[in-house]
Amino acid sequence: MTLDISELKNRILSPNFIWTLIFFLVAISLVAVFSASGSITKYDSDNTSFFLGRHVSFILVGLSMIWLFSKIDYRLFNRWAPVLLILTIALLILTFFIGVNVNDAKRWLNIPIINMTFQVSDLAKLALILYLARSISDKQDVIKGFRSAFVPIMLPILIVCGLIAPSNLSTAAVLFAGSIGMMFVGRIDMKYILILAGLGILLLVILLWIETVFPGLTRAETWVARITRFWYGSEDDYQIEQAKIAIANGNILLPNPGKSLLRNFIPYSYADFIYPIICEEWGLFLGAFGVIIIYLLLLFHCVGIVSNTTRAFGALLTIGIGINMVTQAFANIAVALGLVPVTGLPLPFISMGGTSLVFTSISLGMIISVSKHIQNLKLESESGDKAEYMWQDQEL
């Protein structure tokens, strides 16, 4: 039985397709985290499943968030965007002053009631994507000059990325690139996109200058050190060298799960450097290529939504989430391969859980919500219920 192109496209656009990708990501994550965390579990606890149990709890919370947000009509997210952006900016400023300092970076806020830390940049990514999807969909037809493009679109990008960058440049850079991608998909004039890129470079220069005047206010010294080590191939790049060895140890075809040797030598092998462990244990095709294919399929789904929805907000929300998630995934993989300097970005929905996994889950739930909306409209259109189709297509 052959599968024609239209049927294949419908399957890729369906919510079940995203749920299938999520199932594979969960399976990969559980196996990889259990294997990679074994080396630190034996030093911290007699229970070899200690970190797996912790990760499973985050996975369950994440799956619950996906289900919950997939049940919400995505058009309601449009209403939340301005309030969420203002809240995010306030929290980012608060983090700068009273944030928890970990590894010389203030990225976390402490939540006293439950005694947990919360990484504000994870919320900031989603808040900015929501706001840009709303702003671009509402303003793209009325943008006639620099001011009309700067205030509703460019200024929020510069503010949010500028507040994230001092403590987490890599996250700010990925979010900035994703924002430019949303502007391009939203048909914003190319000259404004180039202006934003120039302003982003200027912002980086200002942050570097601030570090020379007020040492320690940003992590510019760390940025320069990492770029220098990458550029000159310093022998101090212990993590990268061990990651390359792990990838090289992977079999081309046959998997060898749970038998990683380098998990005992790669720092944060359960988090930022989990990809080399997957490659070592599952090989070139199942591990290395398999993970990449899953993220590409997620991006194909998002691109398909852009091509098949009549609502600009839904299209921009989906492609914004897709670009950001896939860009972060490829940045993480590029670090493991030694193609870019070390960034500290986790592999989305695979690295050991935390606020990153929870907000990634919320984002996936939003994508499913848009997919369900498109599927419902298609079914109604095919059934000939034109009046219902027209009503459903209006903004709430």
Side-chain angles (χ1 to χ4, degrees), residues 185-199:
V185 174
R187 296 176 295 179
I188 301 299
D189 196 308
M190 184 58 68
K191 66 181 177 183
Y192 298 126
I193 296 178
L194 294 176
I195 289 173
L196 177 63
L199 291 173

Side-chain angles (χ1 to χ4, degrees), residues 3-292:
L3 185 67
D4 60 30
I5 299 299
S6 61
E7 185 179 352
L8 179 62
K9 183 176 71 173
N10 290 335
R11 290 190 180 185
I12 291 177
L13 289 175
S14 72
N16 290 336
F17 183 79
I18 290 292
W19 277 113
T20 302
L21 296 181
I22 291 170
F23 169 80
F24 281 113
L25 288 173
V26 167
I28 294 169
S29 179
L30 290 175
V31 173
V33 168
F34 178 62
S35 178
S37 63
S39 60
I40 57 174
T41 299
K42 62 185 180 183
Y43 295 113
D44 292 352
S45 171
D46 293 332
N47 182 5
T48 56
S49 302
F50 175 77
F51 282 95
L52 178 65
R54 182 182 176 187
H55 183 58
V56 167
S57 64
F58 279 109
I59 288 287
L60 292 176
V61 171
L63 292 174
S64 300
M65 291 295 101
I66 295 173
W67 179 84
L68 176 62
F69 278 82
S70 71
K71 296 295 183 181
I72 301 173
D73 192 312
Y74 79 92
R75 292 170 293 182
L76 287 174
F77 304 144
N78 196 329
R79 294 181 176 180
W80 302 351
V83 175
L84 194 59
L85 182 70
I86 294 172
L87 175 63
T88 296
I89 292 173
L91 290 176
L92 286 171
I93 295 173
L94 191 62
T95 304
F96 185 78
F97 291 101
I98 65 169
V100 179
N101 196 323
V102 180
N103 295 330
D104 297 324
K106 288 185 177 181
R107 302 176 184 175
W108 294 266
L109 277 179
N110 188 46
I111 306 175
I113 299 176
I114 58 177
N115 195 27
M116 290 183 64
T117 55
F118 161 65
Q119 190 162 341
V120 183
S121 60
D122 292 321
L123 170 63
K125 288 188 289 187
L126 184 57
L128 183 60
I129 290 171
L130 276 171
Y131 184 82
L132 288 179
R134 172 191 171 98
S135 187
I136 295 174
S137 61
D138 290 345
K139 306 292 184 181
Q140 60 177 325
D141 293 332
V142 298
I143 291 176
K144 302 299 181 183
F146 175 77
R147 181 178 296 180
S148 59
F150 181 77
V151 175
I153 298 175
M154 299 163 69
L155 185 59
I157 296 173
L158 293 171
I159 291 175
V160 173
C161 293
L163 289 172
I164 295 174
S167 62
N168 197 344
L169 180 63
S170 54
T171 296
V174 169
L175 184 56
F176 190 83
S179 300
I180 288 179
M182 291 182 68
M183 291 177 66
F184 180 79
V185 174
R187 296 176 295 179
I188 301 299
D189 196 308
M190 184 58 68
K191 66 181 177 183
Y192 298 126
I193 296 178
L194 294 176
I195 289 173
L196 177 63
L199 291 173
I201 296 173
L202 178 61
L203 178 62
L204 179 60
V205 172
I206 292 173
L207 290 174
L208 291 171
W209 174 80
I210 289 175
E211 179 65 19
T212 62
V213 180
F214 303 101
L217 199 60
T218 71
R219 302 189 71 214
E221 186 176 344
T222 302
W223 310 339
V224 174
R226 287 179 175 178
I227 294 173
T228 301
R229 287 199 301 268
F230 172 77
W231 188 261
Y232 292 103
S234 171
E235 296 180 358
D236 295 334
D237 278 340
Y238 174 80
Q239 282 180 300
I240 300 298
E241 294 302 321
Q242 298 302 311
K244 289 180 178 179
I245 295 172
I247 294 172
N249 283 347
N251 198 298
I252 295 178
L253 293 175
L254 299 178
N256 197 19
K259 302 297 183 181
S260 171
L261 298 177
L262 275 297
R263 64 188 175 188
N264 299 311
F265 301 97
I266 303 177
Y268 302 106
S269 59
Y270 53 89
D272 301 345
F273 279 81
I274 200 168
Y275 183 73
I277 306 304
I278 295 172
C279 294
E280 184 181 10
E281 294 190 349
W282 292 93
L284 179 64
F285 286 99
L286 287 178
F289 290 158
V291 170
I292 292 174

